[in-house]
Amino acid sequence: MSRIPCNVNKDLLPLYVDDVCSEESKSMVEEHLAGCEKCQEYYEALKEGIPEEKIAEEKEGLLSEEKMREAAVSVIKATKKEITKSQTIKAAGIVAAVILALIVLEGLDGSYMGGWLGKIPLFDIRLKVDDVRVTEVYELDNGYLYVTVEPDKKCGMCYAGNLQEVVDEEKGLTGEYEGVFGLENAPLDVDAIRIKSYSFIFPLSKKVKEYDGDVRERQDSAIYLEGKGDKRIKVWEKGQEVKKAPPEIEGEARKEIEETDAWSEGGIRKGEITAADAAEDAAGSVYIISRDK
């Protein structure tokens, strides 16, 4: 039988002194007293009636139905036996089945990232921020921010979000906005191409029609690289001086923006997306360039 904790033992001692507890509880108390000097002193004080008023209050509380239930639960938790080998195998089988079901439901290629499942350490496929190097930070002619990163470990995917309102745990919505990005590696995505580098192009502001009908401009206060365990490093913040992009970067970025916007315009013509949605996406999305060489 495993030894019960001191706080549980002290809950049972008044009952033990008055001889109103079960034989099993008596055995547990006596086993604990045999190896605990502090509880022995407390036991002697109880027997001698010191301090009587405090002990009376404890007895009254412990003998109440609610207190008795709490003490019973504590004892059960404290005296649980070790899980047997068969129980371990059974538990492992259940866990494996749940994991398999989640993977099948959410997708073998890591598409579950970005949802609640990606927050569980077991399913967090993001690279650590220490395994990602920021190699370029430039300002484009149009005012957008251009950021290039290279992973030190295998990487086949990325994600990004822009102009997301910051939420404070106590204050709620803060009226400040930020952009984030991260790199991922889905071990089960066998068709994934290993990426050597990613460039992210962040439009740092956009005009939005609010619920009251007024048009307001949102501006990013910072851009963060996110990684495993929700760890972050700040790549850029408002007011920071950034070098102007060289001509080759300007050309590459311009091409990516034009191609992406053309795709959106094609979607509008085909009726796949609305003009309002396309304008919203173009103003607040992140343009991404990936390189496998």
Side-chain angles (χ1 to χ4, degrees), residues 240-257:
Q240 176 180 334
E241 291 187 9
V242 179
K243 291 182 180 180
K244 291 290 185 179
E248 60 271 20
I249 296 295
E250 282 286 352
E252 183 185 42
R254 189 180 305 112
K255 180 182 178 182
E256 177 64 29
I257 293 170

Side-chain angles (χ1 to χ4, degrees), residues 19 36 53 60 73 77 79 101 118 142 155 162 175 194 207 216 225 231 238 240 246 248 254 258 260 262 270:
D19 197 24
C36 182
E53 292 183 0
E60 183 178 357
V73 170
K77 288 182 178 180
T79 58
N142 59 8
C155 170
N162 193 30
R194 182 167 183 174
K207 292 183 178 179
R216 296 185 178 89
L225 164 63
K231 291 187 178 180
K238 189 175 181 180
Q240 176 180 334
E248 60 271 20
R254 189 180 305 112
E258 289 174 352
T260 302
K270 295 176 182 178

Side-chain angles (χ1 to χ4, degrees), residues 48 102 132 175 210 223:
E48 295 173 7
L102 287 172
V132 181
E210 305 287 1
I223 302 294

